Amino acid sequence: MAEERRGSWFGFGFCGFGQAPGSGRGRQVLSPEPLQTPGSGADVRRVSASWSYTALVTRGGQVRLSGAAGGAAGGCRDAWASEALLVVLRAGPGRGAGPELQAWAPASAMRGEPLWARALGPEAEAEGAARGEPPAGAARGEPPAGAPPLLPLLPGARAYVSPRPPFCRALAPELRARRLELGAEHALLLDEAGQVFSWGQGRHGQLGHGSLEAEPEPRLLEALQGLPVAEVAAGGWHSVCVSETGDIYIWGWNESGQLALPSRSLAEDTKTIPREASGLNEDGSEVRRTARGEDGAPAPFIAIQPFPALLDLPLGADAVKASCGSRHTAVVTGTGELYTWGWGKYGQLGHKDTTSLDRPCRVEYFVDKQLQVRAVSCGPWNTYVYAVEKEGS
């Protein structure tokens, strides 16, 4: 098997608290910049970003914080950042002990005692190894940079971490979770069979069940039943999944064009919108229509899409990975290109400006630099990308 080419992490978007991405000059980075870390961007294996700070997990098992929260700690397998909690998966305290889950106040710099800690037991280590994860804190044999994170799903896939009490929540064993993503008010779960479940608040259509009702427990997304899904991503109030064949399905709130559907707020940025009328499409999506369009007919704007909608990338490109910010979306293609769209006020789309877009647009920086994108991880208002040099470049 060919050795994984060493690459680097890049960042762009909001950095008003001095967090990575990039040099941290000013409040925003409009185009991708290599991460400025105590080591190097090549030393970073995973990135988890909250609004005011960023957690970087290195190849040597160290977690480093930048931004409104600082500090570092060793012996770590994974970290998950939120404004309320920094959750770290660390090696157990003794030989033969299983990993320990720790939750810290972000401002603590991981000094003193965590807010709470939970020993997961040796069986969790074994189950994690069966899922392709190394022992906590291992410096060798680690998954490549940009590999899917463990957290907020716990080893063994029987529980997950929440930023709100109860902080550790059990999952029904029959769900057999493979991946779990948390939005601002909802959760997405991908099971081992490639089926998608969602639960939480649904007032922006982010659950994908065709209504705006909340779901207290995981509910199968029937619109995608029978379609094997490879990736899921949860934005603030929207959701994305990528099928095993590279198709993108997207649903939820479209206020800033994050669904790549016509957005009223984006149209208002360029011209005056006449008085509108509201209605529903046949598929249940909420439509706001202006009094006239270019051809004199009403022009539709999609405010909420409560069912999964198929999205085509330019040139028929196939997707392999996806990530969502608060109101923006990023997708990596099979050929290593990055497409972004949605809210762009802080440069989080990477197009050298602060324009918001309601259509997928390729980030030309990586094309110009002869780089292939392998992974993307969005913070609420910023974006992190792992890329390697193209073969022969």
Side-chain angles (χ1 to χ4, degrees):
M1 190 171 84
E3 185 178 348
E4 173 72 17
R5 283 175 286 158
R6 183 64 65 92
S8 295
W9 282 89
F10 300 80
F12 44 99
F14 180 70
C15 55
F17 293 92
Q19 68 268 49
S23 61
R25 294 187 297 270
R27 292 175 57 82
Q28 57 198 25
V29 172
L30 303 183
S31 183
E33 293 186 7
L35 291 192
Q36 303 295 315
T37 68
S40 70
D43 188 45
V44 175
R45 182 161 56 87
R46 286 179 181 151
V47 177
S48 179
S50 188
W51 175 64
S52 65
Y53 73 102
T54 302
L56 309 175
V57 183
T58 73
R59 294 177 184 271
Q62 187 178 57
V63 170
R64 301 171 183 162
L65 306 182
S66 69
C76 300
R77 179 195 294 177
D78 200 8
W80 181 70
S82 72
E83 289 301 294
L85 293 175
L86 169 68
V87 180
V88 178
L89 189 62
R90 305 185 74 174
R95 185 178 179 86
E100 184 174 74
L101 187 70
Q102 298 179 349
W104 297 82
S108 70
M110 291 185 286
R111 295 174 182 166
E113 296 295 324
L115 296 175
W116 55 266
R118 176 178 175 180
L120 299 181
E123 66 279 2
E125 191 77 73
E127 290 173 350
R131 290 159 54 85
E133 283 294 325
R140 297 181 180 180
E142 294 179 333
L150 275 176
L151 298 172
L153 188 64
L154 298 186
R158 296 177 180 175
Y160 68 98
V161 179
S162 169
R164 304 177 187 88
F167 297 118
C168 192
R169 305 187 184 193
L171 289 168
E174 60 268 21
L175 287 175
R176 300 181 63 82
R178 185 168 96 204
R179 181 82 177 268
L180 189 139
E181 290 276 318
L182 296 180
E185 299 176 330
H186 74 296
L188 296 177
L189 182 147
L190 177 65
D191 76 1
E192 292 182 354
Q195 297 186 112
V196 179
F197 295 77
S198 65
W199 67 99
Q201 293 298 316
R203 57 182 175 167
H204 292 100
Q206 64 263 49
L207 300 185
H209 300 303
S211 74
L212 308 185
E213 299 298 320
E215 293 288 344
E217 301 294 335
R219 176 182 170 185
L220 177 66
L221 200 56
E222 295 178 3
L224 299 177
Q225 194 169 7
L227 177 74
V229 171
E231 290 271 326
V232 293
W237 300 271
H238 72 292
S239 304
V240 178
C241 74
V242 178
S243 74
E244 290 186 355
T245 57
D247 292 325
I248 302 170
Y249 292 85
I250 194 163
W251 62 96
W253 197 31
N254 192 49
E255 190 272 344
S256 298
Q258 59 263 48
L259 304 189
L261 296 171
S263 166
R264 182 181 186 274
S265 65
L266 268 59
E268 285 182 327
D269 289 341
T270 57
K271 63 181 179 178
T272 301
I273 299 298
R275 186 171 57 86
E276 65 179 26
S278 297
L280 292 177
N281 273 329
E282 291 182 1
D283 65 358
S285 60
E286 181 181 349
V287 176
R288 301 186 186 277
R289 298 183 183 274
T290 65
R292 63 181 185 277
E294 292 182 0
D295 59 357
F301 296 108
I302 306 297
I304 291 174
Q305 175 67 35
F307 281 111
L310 178 64
L311 171 64
D312 292 323
L313 291 177
L315 305 177
D318 292 333
V320 293
K321 295 181 183 297
S323 186
C324 300
S326 178
R327 287 182 284 158
H328 74 287
T329 306
V331 165
V332 180
T333 71
T335 56
E337 296 180 325
L338 178 70
Y339 285 84
T340 61
W341 61 94
W343 190 47
K345 180 178 179 179
Y346 291 97
Q348 59 264 49
L349 303 186
H351 302 305
K352 302 181 181 180
D353 57 26
T354 58
T355 302
S356 298
L357 299 170
D358 58 7
R359 68 188 187 283
C361 186
R362 188 173 68 179
V363 179
E364 296 298 332
Y365 174 91
F366 299 103
V367 178
D368 295 342
K369 297 291 185 180
Q370 295 290 297
L371 295 171
Q372 285 185 326
V373 175
R374 292 292 181 83
V376 60
S377 178
C378 293
W381 295 2
N382 48 32
T383 305
Y384 297 87
V385 172
Y386 180 73
V388 300
E389 290 187 0
K390 290 184 178 179
E391 292 184 5
S393 62

